[in-house]
Amino acid sequence: MNLQNLNKQQLDAVKAPLGPTLVLAGAGSGKTRVLTNRIMYLVKECGVSPSNVLAITFTNKAANEMKSRLMEFDCNAQFMHISTIHSFCASVLRREAQELDRNSNFSIYTEDEKHSMLKKIVKQALDDGDAKMADSFGECISNIKNNAPDLVESDLLVQSETDEYLIAVLEELQKATQTEDTETLVNVIQEYNRRMAENNALDFDDLLYYVHKIFSTNPQILQKYRERYQFVLIDEFQDVNKVQYQIFKMLASEHGNIFVVGDDDQSIYSWRGADPLNFKKFEQDFPTCKIFKLEQNYRSTKAILKVANDIIASNSNRYEKVLFTDNSQGVKPQIYSASDEMVEANYVCEQIRNLRYLGNYRFKDFAILMRINALSRAFEQELLRYRIPYKVFGGFKFFERKEIKDVLAYLRLINNPADSEAFFRAINVPVKRGIGDTTLSKLAGLSADYGMSIIDVISDERNLEIFNKPTRAKLLDFYKLIDEMMQLAKSTTVAKFVHILLDVLEVRKVYSSMDEEDRALNIDQFEQSVIDFQNSDPGATLADYLQTVSLSADIDEANNGDYVTIATIHAVKGLEFKTVFVVGLEDGIFPTSRATYSQLGMQEERRLMYVAVTRAEERLYLTRANSRFMYGQRKNTLASRYFSEVKQMLTPIRPPSTERQLADDSYLDKLNLQPTQKPVNTGKTTSQIKQFKVGQMVEHATFGKGMILRMAGDIADVIFESVGKKSLNIRFAPLKII
């Protein structure tokens, strides 16, 4: 077996004895390689059956890459379960649906769909209910299910008079909604859970919660999965929340073969319940665990790692790691203070354009990273002006476009006829069927009265006597369409079924007639996504495809085109770019003002900065604006502590010179200062200056090689390979033509 591509630290971790193992993997240290080689080692050297392997990653992209690598190693990866935690839990729940108040064809609601349902419930329950309140309820439900799953009774989040966590969460909800009546708040949460069950639907938090519930209350089922997955491997362990950790712990507690890889210095998702102390808990729960550190970085230059190490060293209560690399020293990181946000954005675009001139960079090699996405406008505006292609992560994903969600509503309804939210969306698209809000409201009432789904209600004309004849006809026609498609879906492949459905609905024709060519093209791309999915798994069902779409993540679409990435730091964790601009480094923005009141909050902000810096491979730029227009007004800003720390690191403060030193010519020469008695340097002659032309390659005594971009008299703009663009006076600059 060939493990020769591993360094000693990696090799030691891969060949660790069976049993609990903790691998502390610094940024860019090759943790995916270690995880993949560990699986290969288990199968080929330890005789582990591939079907006994469960590997959990935190993006679909990472899971697919791991599968591809293992397929190349010929170790029967097709029999392993390699997926995200949500995909794993969904597969468990479909097999164990009899333990739920759901059918196995349940829908998985995205955050948008969850929010939409909560908004309706809140509007009915609270006089002043609005979208912001719906967000508060959604956050409350997520917090309880992810952090206190043991306290959820009968699938309804019942208030506890004794549990401090539940009391604190409900108190926060009271403040956010300005509602003193706790009973009303609990009723909203209970109604949400009731409607989810009625729609045969689960949200992302339910996927985790119900698996936790089944494992903790049904020993026979838990034992079945323990025997199936005797070797559990977890990537990005620092991102695991409480309910996920308990699921993993229950699975691995019998055989003890759990191998976790992560970096406490990259724990940046506390708002999702992730805990940087997961590693300490792991040591306590698995006291015989072996610990390995990966500190050799393969991504960044020495200059970038120096910044990263110095930034994270200020955090306390962490496992000490000092990243090192065999890569070159590299270009010195650059810092830039702009007068305002437009000048800052212009500077970034200039650097991108100039580095492109050198011919070594594509647009996909650049990332503009920010703490909050509210800063993106200025950069988008300037990138457009420079005609630089870009993509904003955190904006609309492909599957969130209206026309795609409309088609998905049909697929969800056909797969799960109980999904009333899908029914309400599908009934009037892609063309209006003349079914208004009043009719839909009455249908919802009939559904509740009869105790059946809306599709079941409209399947029998006798249930529709309250409607006039034209309305009854429209509803019966819609039922006939859905019923025919349901039968077709059972007898054909997913790709063929979707093709027929799109033709029956005349989706492309509708958008073409509306001069919506972009939407029609998006439908083409949608159908291609189904074809690609079918090709990757010929036996896949419609439910499988819908599950893949529901659990897709923004980061899974990254790096698929030649464009500059604009993103929050959270959105690009796990990615890397040749050149990174960390922008908006101002106090109150990064770190955020709300974090300054909490030591834990400030430590997470510093971890965020560490993550941002370690995305860079070759060049790092840190920028800020002296004034910025935000929240309706322009304000002067103060430099972020991270900006100031790096500035001081790159340009150490020189102690004041003494009078004796100032009188010493040799001392002044070292400082590149001229004593008053020395003759004035008149520089190059006019004829020498005229030899310098735009496009020439030149060499500077300090900055190295570069190319002249622009000339204006004695002043030349030169783009250097080492430090980017500099404006120099040719008469005096130590510059020569090469």
Side-chain angles (χ1 to χ4, degrees), residues 349 356 363 380-390:
C349 291
R356 286 269 298 168
F363 290 120
E380 292 185 63
Q381 184 173 323
E382 285 299 288
L383 288 167
L384 284 171
R385 190 168 70 85
Y386 277 77
R387 297 183 179 179
I388 295 174
Y390 68 90

Side-chain angles (χ1 to χ4, degrees), residues 130-141:
D130 57 16
K132 191 173 182 181
M133 283 190 185
D135 285 337
S136 297
F137 275 100
E139 186 177 345
C140 174
I141 293 169

Side-chain angles (χ1 to χ4, degrees), residues 567-619:
T568 61
I569 300 165
H570 286 104
V572 295
K573 186 173 170 297
L575 300 182
E576 54 194 43
F577 306 87
K578 286 186 177 180
T579 299
V580 168
F581 300 87
V582 186
V583 303
L585 283 167
E586 294 130 42
D587 195 41
I589 294 179
F590 194 9
T592 61
S593 54
R594 67 177 178 272
T596 57
Y597 299 101
S598 162
Q599 182 182 5
L600 293 178
M602 289 301 292
Q603 290 195 347
E604 179 149 336
E605 291 292 299
R606 190 169 286 277
R607 292 195 293 270
L608 261 174
M609 183 64 186
Y610 173 79
V611 167
V613 168
T614 53
R615 298 313 91 198
E617 297 175 351
E618 298 177 0
R619 296 172 185 270

Side-chain angles (χ1 to χ4, degrees), residues 464-609:
L464 306 176
E465 294 177 352
I466 65 173
F467 301 112
N468 59 36
K469 189 173 181 180
T471 300
R472 290 201 300 271
K474 293 171 186 174
L475 292 173
L476 289 168
D477 283 347
F478 185 72
Y479 170 75
K480 183 180 178 182
L481 167 66
I482 298 302
D483 185 54
E484 289 176 352
M485 292 298 105
M486 287 170 62
Q487 300 310 314
L488 180 64
K490 296 175 183 177
S491 60
T492 188
T493 64
V494 179
K496 186 175 181 181
F497 167 72
V498 169
H499 179 77
I500 294 172
L501 176 67
L502 293 173
D503 280 351
V504 169
L505 296 176
E506 298 184 326
V507 178
R508 295 182 180 87
K509 181 179 178 181
V510 169
Y511 287 127
S512 296
S513 66
M514 296 167 59
D515 291 328
E516 296 276 6
E517 289 298 328
D518 286 348
R519 293 186 187 276
L521 290 173
N522 284 338
I523 295 299
D524 290 342
Q525 291 299 311
F526 172 77
E527 183 170 1
Q528 186 60 49
S529 78
V530 181
I531 294 170
D532 292 343
F533 176 78
Q534 183 84 71
N535 290 338
S536 67
D537 187 357
T541 65
L542 177 58
D544 294 331
Y545 176 72
L546 289 171
Q547 178 172 309
T548 300
V549 171
S550 296
L551 299 179
S552 66
D554 202 11
I555 194 173
D556 295 328
E557 300 175 31
N559 283 352
N560 289 333
D562 191 22
Y563 50 75
V564 173
T565 294
I566 301 178
T568 61
I569 300 165
H570 286 104
V572 295
K573 186 173 170 297
L575 300 182
E576 54 194 43
F577 306 87
K578 286 186 177 180
T579 299
V580 168
F581 300 87
V582 186
V583 303
L585 283 167
E586 294 130 42
D587 195 41
I589 294 179
F590 194 9
T592 61
S593 54
R594 67 177 178 272
T596 57
Y597 299 101
S598 162
Q599 182 182 5
L600 293 178
M602 289 301 292
Q603 290 195 347
E604 179 149 336
E605 291 292 299
R606 190 169 286 277
R607 292 195 293 270
L608 261 174
M609 183 64 186

Side-chain angles (χ1 to χ4, degrees), residues 379-402:
F379 296 95
E380 292 185 63
Q381 184 173 323
E382 285 299 288
L383 288 167
L384 284 171
R385 190 168 70 85
Y386 277 77
R387 297 183 179 179
I388 295 174
Y390 68 90
K391 181 174 180 180
V392 180
F393 285 84
F396 276 118
K397 293 187 290 184
F398 178 78
F399 290 105
E400 289 178 354
R401 291 178 170 91
K402 178 187 181 303

Side-chain angles (χ1 to χ4, degrees), residues 7-232:
N7 64 38
K8 185 180 184 306
Q9 291 176 317
Q10 293 171 332
L11 190 62
D12 288 345
V14 165
K15 299 178 74 172
L18 297 183
T21 306
L22 171 59
V23 180
L24 296 161
S29 61
K31 64 181 178 59
T32 303
R33 185 189 306 171
V34 167
L35 204 55
T36 305
N37 275 273
R38 174 64 172 183
I39 295 173
M40 183 170 63
Y41 178 78
L42 290 175
V43 172
K44 292 198 168 186
E45 294 294 314
C46 302
V48 171
S49 170
S51 62
N52 290 146
V53 173
L54 170 65
I56 297 295
T57 68
F58 272 76
T59 67
N60 294 308
K61 185 176 182 179
N64 291 333
E65 287 176 355
M66 187 177 293
K67 288 176 188 175
S68 297
R69 291 190 191 185
L70 288 167
M71 291 296 286
E72 292 174 4
F73 290 139
D74 190 28
C75 49
N76 294 315
Q78 67 271 25
F79 299 112
M80 303 174 187
H81 190 115
I82 303 172
S83 74
T84 65
I85 178 61
H86 289 91
S87 293
F88 168 71
C89 288
S91 67
V92 170
L93 294 178
R94 294 206 189 276
R95 287 195 292 266
E96 312 299 338
Q98 73 278 3
E99 299 295 318
L100 306 172
D101 51 355
R102 307 287 197 279
N103 296 322
S104 61
N105 62 336
F106 56 79
S107 298
I108 300 174
Y109 279 10
T110 64
E111 287 300 304
D112 281 347
E113 290 157 346
K114 172 183 176 181
H115 175 82
S116 177
M117 178 178 284
L118 275 169
K119 194 163 63 171
K120 295 173 186 174
I121 298 171
V122 170
K123 190 174 181 180
Q124 293 172 351
L126 300 172
D127 294 336
D128 299 323
D130 57 16
K132 191 173 182 181
M133 283 190 185
D135 285 337
S136 297
F137 275 100
E139 186 177 345
C140 174
I141 293 169
S142 292
N143 285 339
I144 296 174
K145 286 183 178 177
N146 281 298
N147 294 300
D150 295 325
L151 301 171
V152 183
E153 302 174 10
S154 303
D155 304 333
L156 301 177
L157 304 178
V158 178
Q159 179 187 10
S160 169
E161 297 181 358
T162 57
D163 185 76
E164 293 182 2
Y165 181 79
L166 280 178
I167 292 171
V169 170
L170 288 172
E171 284 178 351
E172 284 297 315
L173 187 57
Q174 285 178 315
K175 293 176 185 176
T177 59
Q178 297 183 336
T179 303
E180 293 293 330
D181 186 0
T182 305
E183 185 177 353
T184 299
L185 301 180
V186 173
N187 287 340
V188 169
I189 298 172
Q190 291 178 336
E191 177 63 13
Y192 169 76
N193 284 335
R194 188 191 69 77
R195 291 199 192 181
M196 290 292 287
E198 187 179 81
N199 285 1
N200 190 33
L202 298 171
D203 61 30
F204 291 166
D205 301 315
D206 287 330
L207 296 174
L208 304 173
Y209 163 66
Y210 278 108
V211 168
H212 178 277
K213 179 182 178 182
I214 290 172
F215 282 179
S216 58
T217 60
N218 194 317
Q220 292 79 16
I221 292 179
L222 174 60
Q223 188 60 30
K224 178 172 68 175
Y225 286 94
R226 281 176 173 171
E227 289 304 312
R228 169 67 192 277
Y229 301 117
Q230 297 181 25
F231 296 85
V232 180

